[in-house]
Amino acid sequence: MKREIAFTLNNEEIAVEVEPNWTLLYLLREVLEMTGAKEGCGVGECGACTVIVDGNAISSCLYPVMEVEGKNVTTIEGLSKEDGTLHPLQQSFIENNGVQCGYCTSGMIMSAKALLDKNPDPTENDIRVSIAGNICRCTGYVQIVESIRKAAEKMKNT
Amino acid sequence: MKGYDYYKPDTIEEAMKMMSTLDGAEYIAGGTDVMVLIKKKALSPQNLISLRNISELSYIDTDNGLRIGSGVTHSRISESDFIKRHYSALFDAVSNIGSVQVRNVGTVGGNICNAAPSADTLCPFLVFDAVVLIAGQKGEYQLAIDDFLLGPNRVALAKGEIVKGINLPALGANSGSAYIKHTRRKAMELPIVGIAARIDIDAKGHPNDWKEAFRRIDDISDMLRLLEKERFVCNDARIAMGVVAPRPIRAKKAESALQGKVISEGLLDEIGRIAASESQPRDTLRGEAWYRREMVHVLTKRAVLMALERMIHADSSNNPKTS
Amino acid sequence: MEDFLYVGKDVPRTAEINKVTGRAVYIDELKRPGMLYGKILYSRYAHARIKSINTEKAKKLPGVKAVITGYDIPDVRVGFMEDQTVLKRDVVRQYRDEVAAVAATSREIAEEALDLIEVEYEELPAIFDPVEAMKPGAPLIHELDGHGRPVKSNVLPLRWTLNVGDVEKARRESAYVVKDSLTTPWINQCCLGTSGCVAEFDSVNNLTFYSQTNVIFGAKQRISRYFAKIGLKDKKIRVINPIVAGSFGTKLDTDIYEFICIQLALKTRRPVKIQFTREEEFRTLPPRQTTRFEIEQGCDKNGMLTFRKAEAILDNGAYTSWGATTPSVMMMPISSLYRVPNVYFNAVCVYTNNIYSQAMRGYGNPQASFAVEVSMDHLAEEAGIDAAEFRMKNRNRPGEVTPMGLKITTCPLDRCITTVKEKIGWDQKRGKKNGRGVGMASLIHVAGGARVYLSDGTGIRIKVDENGHVDVLSGSTDQGQGSQTVLAQIIAETIGFRPEDINIIFGDTALGLWDAGTHASRHTFIAGNAAIRAGEKVKRQILELAVEYVPKLLKSDFRKQKKKDPDFHEPELDFTLIDNPEKLDIKDRMIFAKKAPENPNFRIDVARVLNRALNVGNGESKTVMAEVFWDPPTQMLNSEMKGNWSCTYAFGTTGAEVEVDTETGEVKILKLVAAHDVGRAMNPTLVKGQIYGAAYIGVGFALTEKLQVVEGRVMNPNLRDYKVLTALDDIPVEAVIVEDPDPMGPYGAKGIGEPGLVPTAPAIANAIYDAIGIRFTDLPITPEKVLAAIRAKKQENQQRDA
């Protein structure tokens, strides 16, 4: 009982056939082969699958694919420019060691992007709240917070 | 994962109709509970009926009290300055449910209908005397939240009925509230114990600007001493406790012990002790019963204090209209 | 200080750019044509006899390609002590015992098939407490050992005893003696990516195995031994590492699921992937085991340590992995943290029906240092000496040889202690007992390799092509620490290239030379040493080419210029300045004459030289390539558990300031200062990343994390109930890099992968004692425990007063 849904994925309108019981994460990873969003737990407790839907960070592992119809979805794959130029957040994570094993990174950056899109001048606490649902086992979050803070500064000044 | 079909009605009527015609159907709102249950095979629906696209469920109305549509997300509530200022306990609850990702899709209706003993919004709704607005087969009707909650994950909804929203009465002029979620970590948590308190003060006989004197006080004990000295009386109080019973409950004895009394540090400690005696916590891997009981004692006191502080520091000119 | 271009600089980890664009391929992203998905059926009991297994229904499910049980594969033993089979067919000894496995065309079908397998069990009495299991007459978990000989006891036949000096005599002569019992819980390593692998055989049964192992050659050897037992002796094996999402000890051993995956691939003739769910990761991945310590130590009236005696019981669980060797590392802080002349240590690992255990970051050191350092505070108090001063008095010093035979070369422990004292405000804050307190703890850890195998070496191969691109083939792995970046810095510095010129290829047994693995905080030290040596060889080769080709290039340049400009006069050059490789150097891609570094004529891009020199044709083309295998001059521990098993040792001190909520029992960390001896920081930002990350895991160990295992069953197999700290649990941690370049270290570096975790928990426990006067000896220090202890103490005081 496949159904067709249409939505905007990383600024591109797409139509795709889905099974109604898929999650958005399943569609992204298994069908569209966009594997930036990770499945760290599958039940919304780690944040590795975070993507942005209509401006909000959500756990794509719990997001019914049928709800994506007509919406605007941004994933980590849609962040850098076509010429490969990194988004300031991506650049900052590399420069400030916000990345270690990298498994939380996609989700972490998407949570941070959702924050900065709404609040370009966040406090440290705002940053920590925005990524509190993104578990990281490597970094102790210190350099992740730093990466986001510095990216915010850079984005403000350009 | 077993297959299911997915429906997205636009109106309550349509949704209820689907529920009556589709086999093995379940409603789904934000999905943060339902999708987890499906993944864990605790729920195997044949059909899911999404309530997310029903616009008549997504209102926040702040005129004379507060009315929230069941489809409103936790994030939307936490972004409301009005709720933060006046219905602070509800703000406390919704701003620390799970994570941003959960709050962005999880709805207030989902939280109350799932009715977990740890559901964060239930304690605040209990202290605000909230009324649940239900769309049933024979039309809309209302049920006090206390009557709506039956037990763990059980609510007074007949098959097919939909919670349309929740109504909170207007608050008195000198009212304050707070919700304390006691957790091991600061995020991604269910409470070990959750305590909500609302307290209304009788300011009759005190000068109009009585709060000014209090606002200059930093120390909380000094604030309490002054309240006692000036003989401020509690007009009305509600205390609700989560995770200490099969469902969130009110500490009614503690409430009555507060009612009509002059506020004092000793009284608050007594209230905490009474609330603790009203709790019936269990030993679970998430927390031991004795500890939960202790926390009811400590946190009830702290929640009432926080409510008092907020009441004093609230900008009185912006208080909600009284009915 | 020497002037380095890249060493010691915050070079960004650009090599891992795919991790921020979503393009990094971990095991979960890896797909092979025709690949199937494997799933494992685990035991329903902690201890039971399997009466029957019926797989018929599962086999009939469409999409299922294979269902295997212990009866379908050779009945051979695997593991560190060869104490288990791949699939269990007679007895299950723990909940995670693998009873059957399925390969199907999708994960969902494989999962559904598991539900269709019928297993009948007959429950057997189980034993979950190692102390009970040690008692004579306790039911035996294993009746036969790996060689089929009868077993008499649940205590593993591994002897972990160190006995130096005369502990009994020293005790009698001590002015002060304290004794403490301490316990630590099961800890799940919690890698954010779950465990998984892909096994793929070619048509003649050669295996390519995609594994997250951090010891690729160890994995290959274990598979090779397994192959020998199952009739695949002469088959080729290639182990390839994808990008690895954290390890923290989980990837040292070859896990049973990996052997199962190989069997499923063999059976189905198709590539098979097994990827754990988070729940499986919690239920079945071997965690850090529980440990009970009895520790006793004493000092003389001047506060100098006289002896230390420690005994440990480790819950091994039902089978044995590397976790059973952690006592070798526990011995290190027990014998060698602070100077203590008389030492006795004994540890036993005991079989139980609990989940079997593996190592975790720190490899026993966090548990042992918790015991040592809490006891140190206790002893300082008993002796009436300030705990920081006590540590300073007894600190390790350069040049000493510890009771375990560790040769301490560089040791800035004094600076670590004083830095922490200063930054935490020790003198102002210590001893107030007002609900706020400060505490500290130190550590010693291997920082120059750890000879746990016969070889602790690594091989590295560097080749440079005609474009000036450098490929480095190494048998190491990276789990996220940034080894590629650090190695690129070291090689760039050594040869004279830029880090971005260096392409590091890790984790492929077919390409890399042998390596003992990325563990024991050894990678930067060992691979760095090998890289410098190989880099120097490569540099020499390039300079030899330069001697030959720079004059040729210059002359051809002059000819060209003359063609363009008839007035051009060829400069008079002193070619003796560059007639010998010794006279040349390379920096930042430029070759130059050492005696005339600024002479523009002799400054030539190294790529130009390579381009001209390598592909000259006429059968005389050359390569620039060097390989080095470097094995550090260290010893394995001997039968007395003595030996200098690392080239150098790292020290460090963590200070904690805490506030205890005496009404709720909650401990708030106001400040953590982690001062670590790193030799020389190769990349300060990356070094700090290691310290921050480790400290955070240490805070979890101290306060929140515990795998709750009740009668053998993991009760909190999810990230909601297993309390890994979140970003909102803001721990203000300051990482202080203490530099004292190590003469053996690559550019002076020491290892820093594990140390940050080690002293964190005891520092916090000691700070809590300073805050409220209660010594906590059972981790994690939960609010329940704190509040209960506060109540008990109050009651005790009341009774005493009455």
Side-chain angles (χ1 to χ4, degrees):
Chain A
M1 49 177 181
K2 287 222 164 155
R3 308 215 178 258
E4 189 175 283
I5 59 167
F7 65 104
T8 308
L9 178 58
N10 297 329
N11 293 323
E12 194 185 325
E13 310 223 335
I14 68 161
V16 57
E17 282 212 321
V18 300
E19 289 284 349
N21 67 329
W22 288 352
T23 60
L24 173 56
L25 182 64
Y26 186 92
L27 172 68
L28 290 172
R29 287 185 62 88
E30 307 295 329
V31 182
L32 302 177
E33 299 200 332
M34 295 172 73
T35 55
K38 308 290 175 199
E39 179 159 338
C41 73
V43 288
E45 291 172 353
C46 77
C49 68
T50 304
V51 302
I52 298 178
V53 176
D54 283 355
N56 291 318
I58 58 103
S59 296
S60 61
C61 74
L62 295 182
Y63 203 89
V65 75
M66 294 294 287
E67 296 290 352
V68 178
E69 171 76 42
K71 294 207 164 65
N72 194 341
V73 178
T74 310
T75 71
I76 189 78
E77 287 88 350
L79 248 56
S80 41
K81 290 191 190 146
E82 268 173 30
D83 66 359
T85 313
L86 297 183
H87 185 277
L89 274 164
Q90 293 172 313
Q91 188 65 38
S92 190
F93 270 64
I94 286 288
E95 281 170 9
N96 299 295
N97 204 29
V99 182
Q100 284 194 29
C101 89
Y103 214 71
C104 74
T105 307
S106 303
M108 205 60 95
I109 290 177
M110 296 317 287
S111 287
K113 181 174 189 297
L115 169 75
L116 298 187
D117 286 349
K118 290 179 189 174
N119 177 3
D121 195 13
T123 63
E124 175 166 338
N125 192 60
D126 292 337
I127 293 172
R128 287 185 176 273
V129 167
S130 78
I131 58 167
N134 296 75
I135 299 288
C136 168
R137 189 59 158 171
C138 299
T139 65
Y141 306 101
V142 180
Q143 290 171 324
I144 289 176
V145 172
E146 178 101 339
S147 300
I148 298 171
R149 194 177 55 74
K150 288 191 173 163
E153 276 166 23
K154 208 177 223 171
M155 286 162 77
K156 250 189 341 188
N157 297 331
T158 50
Chain B
M1 216 183 295
K2 277 267 174 5
Y4 52 77
D5 211 345
Y6 199 96
Y7 294 86
K8 302 201 304 178
D10 294 323
T11 63
I12 295 175
E13 198 189 338
E14 208 184 324
M16 289 175 62
K17 202 163 163 193
M18 285 174 174
M19 183 54 93
S20 65
T21 52
L22 293 168
D23 289 335
E26 297 280 347
Y27 290 127
I28 178 171
T32 54
D33 291 316
V34 169
M35 292 300 282
V36 173
L37 290 176
I38 291 173
K39 286 195 165 195
K40 291 186 172 164
K41 297 179 185 166
L43 194 68
S44 315
Q46 288 164 263
N47 294 289
L48 283 182
I49 301 166
S50 168
L51 305 178
R52 274 201 224 198
N53 306 284
I54 301 178
S55 53
E56 53 190 315
L57 298 179
S58 73
Y59 57 89
I60 296 183
D61 179 358
T62 59
D63 196 26
N64 192 14
L66 172 65
R67 283 168 301 282
I68 307 174
S70 65
V72 174
T73 62
H74 304 308
S75 287
R76 234 181 102 197
I77 299 177
S78 69
E79 282 157 14
S80 159
D81 261 352
F82 176 85
I83 294 173
K84 181 176 182 180
R85 195 174 311 155
H86 302 301
Y87 293 89
S88 316
L90 181 60
F91 170 82
D92 293 339
V94 294
S95 55
N96 195 16
I97 290 179
S99 59
V100 170
Q101 291 92 324
V102 168
R103 298 195 287 277
N104 280 341
V105 292
T107 64
V108 62
N111 200 244
I112 66 170
C113 289
N114 189 45
S118 57
D120 283 303
T121 62
L122 293 178
C123 288
F125 284 142
L126 280 165
V127 303
F128 291 124
D129 295 332
V131 171
V132 183
L133 193 60
I134 299 165
Q137 304 301 338
K138 293 175 195 156
E140 268 179 40
Y141 66 101
Q142 299 191 348
L143 207 54
I145 183 78
D146 213 1
D147 299 325
F148 179 74
L149 301 172
L150 299 180
N153 307 103
R154 283 199 313 123
V155 293
L157 272 186
K159 164 109 181 130
E161 289 184 331
I162 291 175
V163 168
K164 191 175 174 193
I166 191 146
N167 295 355
L168 283 62
L171 299 167
N174 295 308
S175 179
S177 70
Y179 173 67
I180 298 180
K181 175 176 184 169
H182 192 61
T183 54
R184 197 69 87 227
R185 298 178 294 193
K186 293 224 180 79
M188 299 295 285
E189 285 282 32
L190 302 172
I192 298 169
V193 164
I195 300 286
R198 171 172 67 83
I199 185 160
D200 293 12
I201 290 294
D202 184 356
K204 272 195 279 270
H206 297 278
N208 277 344
D209 61 348
W210 66 272
K211 286 179 180 172
E212 289 307 318
F214 285 88
R215 286 178 186 163
R216 288 191 292 270
I217 300 174
D218 290 332
D219 187 84
I220 205 143
S221 297
D222 290 345
M223 181 187 89
L224 276 173
R225 269 192 286 278
L226 189 59
L227 279 168
E228 189 178 1
K229 188 173 155 234
E230 302 281 337
R231 301 203 60 77
F232 275 93
V233 170
C234 166
N235 220 1
D236 191 20
R238 292 285 183 279
I239 292 161
M241 317 182 277
V243 213
V244 296
R247 43 151 284 198
I249 53 170
R250 273 172 57 188
K252 291 187 180 167
K253 287 181 194 161
E255 289 172 1
S256 355
L258 203 48
Q259 198 94 30
K261 299 276 170 51
V262 172
I263 307 290
S264 72
E265 189 152 15
L267 178 66
L268 297 194
D269 196 57
E270 177 68 7
I271 298 306
R273 202 188 50 73
I274 297 171
S277 74
E278 288 180 88
S279 68
Q280 313 137 33
R282 289 191 309 149
D283 276 331
T284 73
L285 285 163
R286 289 176 176 152
E288 294 170 46
W290 74 267
Y291 182 74
R292 288 194 160 119
R293 196 172 288 116
E294 285 299 327
M295 288 310 97
V296 171
H297 183 162
V298 173
L299 301 179
T300 297
K301 193 167 113 184
R302 289 186 184 181
V304 173
L305 260 176
M306 203 190 282
L308 280 169
E309 260 190 308
R310 282 175 171 168
M311 181 261 296
I312 283 162
H313 289 279
D315 187 0
S316 48
S317 64
N318 283 330
N319 259 2
K321 281 177 268 176
T322 48
S323 47
Chain C
M1 193 164 141
E2 284 165 84
D3 194 17
F4 296 120
L5 276 182
Y6 305 113
V7 157
K9 302 295 191 303
D10 291 323
V11 172
R13 40 200 306 174
T14 313
E16 294 156 275
I17 208 121
N18 283 345
K19 289 181 178 177
V20 299
T21 57
R23 300 184 57 164
V25 175
Y26 300 81
I27 205 84
D28 204 12
E29 280 74 44
L30 191 71
K31 272 190 186 164
R32 299 290 302 159
M35 190 175 84
L36 302 172
Y37 296 86
K39 275 274 163 200
I40 298 167
L41 183 72
Y42 301 100
S43 169
R44 287 211 312 274
Y45 294 93
H47 197 191
R49 194 169 300 286
I50 299 174
K51 288 171 71 182
S52 69
I53 310 177
N54 186 342
T55 58
E56 289 314 309
K57 281 185 203 159
K59 281 178 179 160
K60 285 183 191 139
L61 187 70
V64 170
K65 299 295 171 188
V67 182
I68 56 172
T69 71
Y71 291 96
D72 302 309
I73 62 171
D75 188 29
V76 301
R77 286 166 170 258
V78 294
F80 180 77
M81 303 271 289
E82 303 209 326
D83 54 6
Q84 63 177 321
T85 56
V86 170
L87 287 165
K88 284 71 182 175
R89 62 188 206 186
D90 302 318
V91 175
V92 286
R93 296 179 175 82
Q94 50 167 359
Y95 277 103
R96 67 148 282 181
D97 261 351
E98 300 84 351
V99 175
V102 174
T105 49
S106 77
R107 280 167 226 229
E108 293 74 21
I109 294 172
E111 241 169 63
E112 211 182 322
L114 289 188
D115 293 340
L116 298 174
I117 299 172
E118 294 156 355
V119 189
E120 258 190 292
Y121 298 94
E122 179 190 328
E123 206 177 348
L124 297 171
I127 192 155
F128 303 109
D129 179 350
V131 176
E132 288 299 315
M134 283 168 73
K135 288 182 181 161
L140 291 175
I141 309 295
H142 294 273
E143 276 158 10
L144 300 174
D145 73 5
H147 305 284
R149 294 173 304 216
V151 169
K152 292 193 193 91
S153 154
N154 287 321
V155 176
L156 266 71
L158 296 170
R159 196 178 137 80
W160 301 115
T161 309
L162 177 76
N163 195 354
V164 182
D166 189 337
V167 163
E168 296 310 317
K169 181 165 172 280
R171 186 210 327 260
R172 285 194 301 274
E173 291 168 359
S174 294
Y176 306 98
V177 174
V178 295
K179 195 171 178 178
D180 293 286
S181 307
L182 303 101
T183 49
T184 63
W186 276 286
I187 296 289
N188 185 279
Q189 296 84 349
C190 262
C191 304
L192 207 66
T194 56
S195 302
C197 64
V198 174
E200 178 172 4
F201 284 95
D202 71 7
S203 316
V204 290
N205 283 346
N206 294 315
L207 172 70
T208 302
F209 191 56
Y210 300 89
S211 164
Q212 299 166 315
T213 177
N214 53 338
V215 191
I216 54 171
F217 291 95
K220 180 176 172 177
Q221 190 183 37
R222 284 185 285 269
I223 295 167
S224 161
R225 282 192 193 137
Y226 183 62
F227 271 20
K229 289 180 185 176
I230 63 170
L232 295 177
K233 188 170 181 299
D234 298 322
K235 298 304 171 187
K236 297 184 185 75
I237 299 164
R238 181 178 184 185
V239 176
I240 299 177
N241 231 199
I243 294 175
V244 178
S247 174
F248 311 114
T250 57
K251 277 108 188 168
L252 277 177
D253 205 352
T254 302
D255 201 283
I256 303 303
Y257 77 84
E258 297 183 284
F259 291 110
I260 292 175
C261 192
I262 288 168
Q263 283 293 351
L264 288 171
L266 198 57
K267 172 104 178 173
T268 57
R269 317 298 310 152
R270 285 166 71 164
V272 175
K273 174 192 279 191
I274 288 183
Q275 176 91 44
F276 279 4
T277 62
R278 179 58 58 186
E279 184 173 342
E280 267 180 302
E281 186 85 357
F282 275 111
R283 287 198 190 281
T284 74
L285 203 72
R288 177 196 277 157
Q289 69 280 73
T290 67
T291 309
R292 300 168 196 218
F293 277 100
E294 298 287 333
I295 186 166
E296 198 180 358
Q297 53 182 344
C299 65
D300 64 19
K301 60 182 191 321
N302 299 319
M304 301 310 290
L305 287 170
T306 48
F307 80 96
R308 188 180 289 153
K309 181 182 176 186
E311 290 180 280
I313 300 171
L314 284 72
D315 188 339
N316 200 60
Y319 304 107
T320 310
S321 178
W322 286 92
T325 68
T326 54
S328 62
V329 176
M330 292 178 174
M331 228 172 261
M332 196 161 46
I334 301 283
S335 67
S336 309
L337 178 57
Y338 309 115
R339 300 165 94 166
V340 51
N342 302 288
V343 174
Y344 175 81
F345 174 69
N346 186 55
V348 290
C349 304
V350 187
Y351 280 127
T352 65
N353 292 111
N354 287 316
I355 182 170
Y356 83 88
S357 50
Q358 167 64 294
M360 186 179 172
R361 196 177 196 175
Y363 214 86
N365 199 340
Q367 301 96 300
S369 292
F370 175 62
V372 170
E373 282 291 35
V374 168
S375 167
M376 281 294 283
D377 253 39
H378 191 183
L379 184 55
E381 186 185 44
E382 200 67 21
I385 306 171
D386 171 73
E389 195 193 326
F390 186 53
R391 288 180 170 86
M392 275 300 272
K393 268 175 185 274
N394 290 288
R395 73 181 187 274
N396 302 92
R397 291 166 175 85
E400 71 189 37
V401 179
T402 76
M404 194 182 163
L406 313 183
K407 292 178 184 157
I408 307 302
T409 54
T410 48
C411 174
L413 181 56
D414 51 348
R415 276 158 62 201
C416 296
I417 294 173
T418 48
T419 302
V420 163
K421 260 191 82 170
E422 203 174 287
K423 290 192 176 275
I424 207 84
W426 184 270
D427 292 335
Q428 303 80 38
K429 290 173 179 166
R430 178 80 175 174
K432 300 278 189 286
K433 298 269 188 297
N434 59 354
R436 271 194 181 204
V438 292
M440 67 163 67
S442 299
L443 91 141
I444 178 173
H445 200 71
V446 290
R451 190 166 295 269
V452 290
Y453 309 109
L454 284 174
S455 169
D456 193 28
T458 196
I460 205 160
R461 180 180 289 150
I462 302 177
K463 62 187 182 71
V464 187
D465 66 19
E466 69 277 17
N467 306 303
H469 296 169
V470 184
D471 286 311
V472 179
L473 298 167
S474 159
S476 305
T477 67
D478 182 79
Q479 293 85 245
Q481 57 275 59
S483 311
Q484 293 96 332
T485 300
V486 170
L487 207 55
Q489 286 176 263
I490 288 173
I491 292 169
E493 189 74 53
T494 304
I495 309 180
F497 282 94
R498 292 181 185 168
E500 60 263 37
D501 302 334
I502 319 286
N503 177 33
I504 308 275
I505 295 160
F506 277 157
D508 185 338
T509 54
L511 301 178
L513 300 174
W514 194 87
D515 175 59
T518 301
H519 59 76
S521 305
R522 73 186 278 283
H523 183 264
T524 294
F525 189 96
I526 303 284
N529 263 304
I532 288 173
R533 286 163 172 80
E536 279 166 353
K537 284 189 179 181
V538 160
K539 183 174 186 174
R540 175 80 192 189
Q541 290 175 25
I542 295 172
L543 293 180
E544 278 166 5
L545 293 174
V547 168
E548 187 180 347
Y549 287 97
V550 168
K552 289 181 184 169
L553 281 167
L554 285 175
K555 283 186 181 142
S556 102
D557 282 355
F558 295 152
R559 269 198 307 276
K560 278 183 202 153
Q561 266 177 289
K562 207 157 197 171
K563 255 188 204 164
K564 268 197 243 162
D565 175 12
D567 296 335
F568 174 75
H569 289 285
E570 190 177 318
E572 292 239 339
L573 293 176
D574 178 5
F575 282 99
T576 65
L577 284 171
I578 59 165
D579 64 358
N580 184 318
E582 303 289 337
K583 296 181 179 173
L584 292 170
D585 201 353
I586 317 174
K587 255 197 165 81
D588 196 25
R589 295 180 181 157
M590 297 302 278
I591 295 173
F592 59 92
K594 281 182 187 166
K595 284 207 172 142
E598 303 305 326
N599 184 329
N601 288 302
F602 292 145
R603 287 185 68 81
I604 291 191
D605 191 322
V606 68
R608 270 198 81 196
V609 173
L610 289 165
N611 200 285
R612 175 75 178 78
L614 292 187
N615 295 332
V616 294
N618 303 327
E620 289 184 9
S621 293
K622 298 185 180 81
T623 60
V624 171
M625 209 269 298
E627 61 185 38
V628 163
F629 185 83
W630 190 72
D631 196 8
T634 50
Q635 305 161 320
M636 275 187 102
L637 300 184
N638 63 21
S639 59
E640 293 182 321
M641 295 293 129
K642 289 182 193 168
N644 187 44
W645 62 346
S646 184
C647 273
T648 188
Y649 300 87
F651 295 85
T653 305
T654 290
E657 184 185 8
V658 303
E659 184 174 44
V660 180
D661 184 328
T662 52
E663 284 189 327
T664 64
E666 290 169 297
V667 174
K668 184 176 181 193
I669 295 178
L670 302 172
K671 190 171 186 181
L672 269 189
V673 179
H676 285 278
D677 155 32
V678 302
R680 188 199 306 278
M682 295 292 96
N683 184 323
T685 296
L686 265 61
V687 165
K688 284 185 177 171
Q690 288 302 301
I691 298 174
Y692 293 137
Y696 240 72
I697 296 182
V699 174
F701 185 46
L703 300 179
T704 61
E705 288 183 38
K706 178 183 183 176
L707 196 66
Q708 305 210 40
V709 183
V710 177
E711 300 204 323
R713 189 194 282 274
V714 176
M715 303 303 284
N716 54 343
N718 57 68
L719 287 165
R720 192 174 288 273
D721 290 319
Y722 186 86
K723 310 288 183 185
V724 173
L725 295 171
T726 72
L728 256 189
D729 299 289
D730 185 10
I731 315 291
V733 45
E734 183 182 357
V736 184
I737 293 173
V738 177
E739 290 198 307
D740 185 2
D742 192 88
M744 285 290 287
Y747 295 100
K750 289 183 178 183
I752 187 63
E754 296 161 286
L757 199 163
V758 177
T760 313
I764 291 169
N766 289 338
I768 294 173
Y769 182 79
D770 189 49
I772 58 173
I774 298 170
R775 208 173 300 287
F776 288 93
T777 54
D778 177 36
L779 296 181
I781 306 170
T782 60
E784 281 94 334
K785 288 180 195 169
V786 173
L787 194 62
I790 291 172
R791 293 285 159 84
K793 192 182 170 195
K794 221 182 243 171
Q795 218 163 25
E796 214 174 278
N797 288 348
Q798 279 165 357
Q799 277 166 0
R800 205 182 42 220
D801 294 346

